[in-house]
Amino acid sequence: GVDFAPYLEDLHDHVEQRIDDFKELVERCGHLSAQHTALSDRRMNDTLYVLTIVTTVFVPAQFVTGMYGMNFEGADGGPGIPELTMRHGYLYFWL
C-alpha cells in the first residue's frame, strides 16, 4: 500500500499555516478598524471645535440683534416690551 502519512502531515501543516494567516488578517482588520474610528473621531472633534468657535462668536451678536430688532413702541405709541414700563426696567433686564 501507499503511505499517506507524509501527505496528510504536509496537508495538516498547510492548513495550520492558512489558519495562522487568517488570524493575522483578522488582527490587522481590527487594527485598521480602530485606526479608522480614531481618525473619524479626530475629524468630528475638529469639526465640533470649529462650530463651537463660530457659535461663541455669533450667538451673542444674534442675541443683541434680536433685542434691538424688537419693536420698542407698540401700535398705540406706548412701550412694546414690558421692561420699558418699569422704572429702570430695561437696565434691570440687562443686569
Side-chain angles (χ1 to χ4, degrees):
V2 180
D3 187 20
F4 288 107
Y7 171 74
L8 291 176
E9 287 176 10
D10 187 46
L11 182 63
H12 180 73
D13 288 341
H14 284 287
V15 169
E16 283 186 351
Q17 287 176 352
R18 294 301 82 84
I19 289 173
D20 290 342
D21 290 344
F22 285 129
K23 286 180 182 178
E24 184 179 337
L25 286 174
V26 167
E27 187 176 330
R28 283 186 184 183
C29 287
H31 289 299
L32 285 174
S33 178
Q35 287 178 347
H36 180 272
T37 301
L39 179 63
S40 296
D41 289 347
R42 174 63 189 235
R43 248 194 278 163
M44 188 185 321
N45 285 340
D46 290 344
T47 302
L48 288 175
Y49 175 77
V50 169
L51 289 174
T52 300
I53 297 298
V54 168
T55 301
T56 302
V57 169
F58 286 109
V59 164
Q62 283 184 319
F63 176 74
V64 171
T65 302
M67 282 301 300
Y68 285 104
M70 292 191 316
N71 294 322
F72 285 93
E73 188 174 302
D76 61 353
I81 54 177
E83 63 262 12
L84 292 179
T85 60
M86 300 181 304
R87 181 177 168 93
H88 303 296
Y90 197 62
L91 178 64
Y92 294 144
F93 172 79
W94 281 103
L95 296 177

